[in-house]
Amino acid sequence: MTATPKTSALMARGAAFLGTEHAILCGAMSWVSERNLVAAISNAGGFGVIACGAMTPDLLDAEITGTKALTAKPFGVNLITMHPLLFDLIAVCAKHGVGHVVLAGGIPPKGSVEAIKAFGAKVIVFAPTIALAKKLFRSGADALVIEGSEAGGHIGPVSTSVLAQEFLPALAADHLVFVAGGIGRGEAIASYLEMGAAGVQLGTRFACASESIAHPAFKAAFFRGNARDAIASVQVDPRLPVIPVRALKNKGTEEFTAKQIEVAHKLDAGELDMAAAQLEIEHFWAGALRRAVIDGDVERGSVMAGQSVGMVTKEEPVATIMAQLLEESEAALTRRS
């Protein structure tokens, strides 16, 4: 018997799909979602996801191997669709028999979904509109994550609550839809499950777990932060369609504005094409995020955080966070029944 029967019943579809006890995914946070946190999430009954980010195939190979050494439970790999070596990274996932691959950051390029399904893995995608979601499901996607603008890192323009009201009634009966963005407590999880979500995805809530390798200064910035401090980056040039990023406001926020101007000038001069320009922006974020997460430079680095950051007040083991979320969800569902 589970300690949270109402929550478990509503998560049953999602948990069966993931092969986990609970349908709670950890969002893929570059530099943070590595073997230690991923394994801890999976060992606690959730679904850890390796953030491949800008990794080379060799680095991803080592990360999957390292994660397997720490957990025998299922976990996934998040691949960025614009990565120039995407198909090589998919081959690494195939070599290791990874069960679930998340394609993030854009529309999956031709052949990528088929390449993943060819070795028997499930494909999880993101979509900002219902029309695109339906198209991706027709193309072979097995599950969808809808992520609202409250999330940390790369974000879309629409809030989680609105996306849930749009997508879940239209898709949840026939498809697996996970809800993400701004979720910090179990009461919110209960609400989305009742609306038809197969499960949820949280990143910010797990970023400062005891098992997270993030620098103590990075974690301290989270503990000091509140919802108003987690702001979205501003697009400087409309010709450079940069996906906004939500992070705690600091000097790095200003440096990103300067970086966009620099890249826009290179576009004007014909030194870069649009794909290369967007890749340069991605590399900026990867470097800025590393400075914050690994080096602890929370002034100039990118302290990516969702608006739920105010609910992260101390360092706790993943298992404690997971248990608290489930207890809060169960209590909310019990009050309503």
Side-chain angles (χ1 to χ4, degrees):
M1 276 290 289
T2 171
T4 54
K6 293 181 175 65
T7 302
S8 294
L10 290 175
M11 283 185 173
R13 275 197 316 154
F17 168 73
L18 298 169
T20 56
E21 191 180 345
H22 314 299
I24 296 178
L25 297 93
C26 183
M29 301 171 281
S30 291
W31 302 107
V32 179
S33 299
E34 49 74 70
R35 66 190 71 179
N36 293 285
L37 183 61
V38 170
I41 298 276
S42 292
N43 287 335
F47 190 77
V49 180
I50 294 172
C52 177
M55 283 184 194
T56 61
D58 285 347
L59 283 174
L60 178 61
D61 189 19
E63 203 56 49
I64 295 172
T65 300
T67 306
K68 282 182 166 179
L70 298 173
T71 185
K73 302 279 185 73
F75 63 88
V77 174
N78 178 296
L79 302 178
I80 304 298
T81 55
M82 68 174 71
H83 197 298
L85 298 176
L86 176 63
F87 286 87
D88 295 331
L89 296 168
I90 290 171
V92 172
C93 293
K95 169 189 161 185
H96 285 279
V98 170
H100 299 71
V101 176
V102 184
L103 292 175
I107 297 171
K110 188 174 173 56
S112 57
V113 172
E114 293 84 350
I116 294 164
K117 294 183 80 72
F119 65 89
K122 303 291 187 188
V123 178
I124 304 172
V125 295
F126 290 79
T129 66
I130 292 173
L132 179 58
K134 288 180 175 177
K135 184 172 185 288
L136 291 172
F137 279 127
R138 287 195 301 272
S139 300
D142 297 289
L144 170 73
V145 178
I146 53 172
E147 184 174 64
S149 59
E150 301 96 319
H154 293 80
I155 56 169
V158 183
S159 73
T160 305
S161 60
V162 172
L163 287 177
Q165 291 174 81
E166 284 186 354
F167 279 71
L168 294 175
L171 297 174
D174 301 315
H175 300 287
L176 292 157
V177 183
F178 295 86
V179 176
I183 301 173
R185 289 183 58 89
E187 292 89 348
I189 294 174
S191 295
Y192 292 128
L193 292 174
E194 284 188 317
M195 291 173 72
V200 293
Q201 175 182 289
L202 292 80
T204 299
R205 191 72 180 81
F206 290 118
C208 297
S210 309
E211 296 90 344
S212 163
I213 63 157
H215 194 282
F218 180 89
K219 293 182 181 182
F222 268 54
F223 303 150
R224 288 193 303 270
N226 61 49
R228 290 167 186 78
D229 299 324
I231 62 167
S233 60
V234 176
Q235 182 175 297
V236 170
D237 191 320
R239 294 165 310 146
L240 191 61
V242 176
I243 300 169
V245 167
R246 188 176 299 286
L248 299 180
K249 186 172 171 56
N250 63 4
K251 288 193 181 74
T253 314
E254 297 160 20
E255 289 181 5
F256 176 56
T257 303
K259 181 66 179 178
Q260 286 186 79
I261 294 168
E262 176 197 321
V263 172
H265 285 324
K266 287 183 181 178
L267 263 178
D268 286 341
E271 294 171 28
L272 294 174
D273 62 17
M274 186 58 73
Q278 288 184 302
L279 206 56
E280 190 161 323
I281 295 292
E282 281 303 305
H283 286 151
F284 170 89
W285 280 124
L289 188 57
R290 189 187 192 285
R291 283 200 300 276
V293 175
I294 304 299
D295 303 335
D297 182 357
V298 296
E299 275 305 305
R300 291 187 58 248
S302 177
V303 187
M304 292 188 189
Q307 290 182 319
S308 60
V309 68
M311 299 173 219
V312 181
T313 57
K314 60 187 175 185
E315 191 175 65
E316 298 173 291
V318 163
T320 302
I321 297 168
M322 191 77 74
Q324 183 183 359
L325 292 168
L326 292 163
E327 284 164 17
E328 290 164 353
S329 172
E330 193 69 12
L333 293 170
T334 301
R335 284 194 298 272
R336 294 171 203 174
S337 60

